[in-house]
Amino acid sequence: EPEVTQTPSHQVTQMGQEVILRCVPISNHLYFYWYRQILGQKVEFLVSFYNNEISEKSEIFDDQFSVERPDGSNFTLKIRSTKLEDSAMYFCASTDPGTSGGLSADTQYFGPGTRLTVL
Amino acid sequence: GNSVTQMEGPVTLSEEAFLTINCTYTATGYPSLFWYVQYPGEGLQLLLKATKADDKGSNKGFEATYRKETTSFHLEKGSVQVSDSAVYFCALSRYSSASKIIFGSGTRLSIRP
């Protein structure tokens, strides 16, 4: 079964450093997302991306964050200058709303996450 | 705004017990409703979903019915197993699967052998 993959699984960085989190969405999907989950808290939406541009972003997604689809397979989240409060699990997701039939239809598929630790 | 409220955890049950995890939502119109599960050390997996009122989503013995009159989507399973131990998230999507998903706070479920 196709799946969303994310690298690295764990990233440790110093405050103020730039990090890039990588995701490979499911190959025929067209919509891509980043969510994050601070330890012990709920999963929060960050940004959605379609047709090479941001379609929606939350108030969390400020100027320190950016997303890019640098080629036909990768989708990245960059944090320019990390803060302690950016420590969280970051999940990538993808969907193709045009699929039909069964549980997989019209569904966002999530990757396993990247745990970001900012020291 | 749109939100999801689910029962606080942790929930601890014995194997073969009946499970209910309550979930209510606030949203205008007709959102799609989901239950996601997060097993220890893993990412989020879609467990089941319902896209319109009175729909029942089901998967792996779990069920939830979209109740518009009570704005609820409670998760149930008749006989839980140790392998069901995980965190369960109720969630909604306002317009379609392309819309952002709004999650509840999650309910940790532990099943004793």
Side-chain angles (χ1 to χ4, degrees), chain A residues 31 33 35 37 42-43 45 56 91 95 97 102-103 105-108 110-112, chain B residues 4 36 38 42-44 46-49 59 89 97-101 103-105:
Chain A
Y31 291 78
Y33 310 82
Y35 294 81
Q37 183 184 29
K42 64 172 68 176
V43 179
F45 168 79
E56 186 177 3
F91 293 105
T95 190
L103 189 64
D106 219 26
T107 294
Q108 287 187 26
F110 284 75
Chain B
V4 176
Y36 279 84
Q38 186 177 31
E42 298 185 16
L44 297 163
L46 179 66
L47 180 60
L48 54 83
K49 67 178 184 182
N59 188 29
F89 293 91
S97 70
S99 304
K100 66 183 179 187
I101 293 178
F103 288 87
S105 55

Side-chain angles (χ1 to χ4, degrees), chain A residues 18-21 34-36 38 44-47 54 57-68 76-83 85-90 116 118:
Chain A
E18 174 183 287
V19 294
I20 297 176
L21 310 183
W34 285 100
Y35 294 81
R36 79 172 185 191
I38 295 172
E44 303 171 289
F45 168 79
L46 292 179
V47 66
I54 290 173
K57 61 183 181 179
S58 72
E59 58 190 24
I60 301 168
F61 194 88
D62 61 21
D63 291 345
Q64 292 300 311
F65 291 87
S66 62
V67 289
E68 190 180 26
T76 61
L77 174 69
K78 182 193 290 186
I79 309 174
R80 277 184 251 286
S81 178
T82 50
K83 307 184 188 68
E85 55 265 37
D86 293 327
S87 294
M89 182 74 89
Y90 288 80
L116 175 66
V118 182

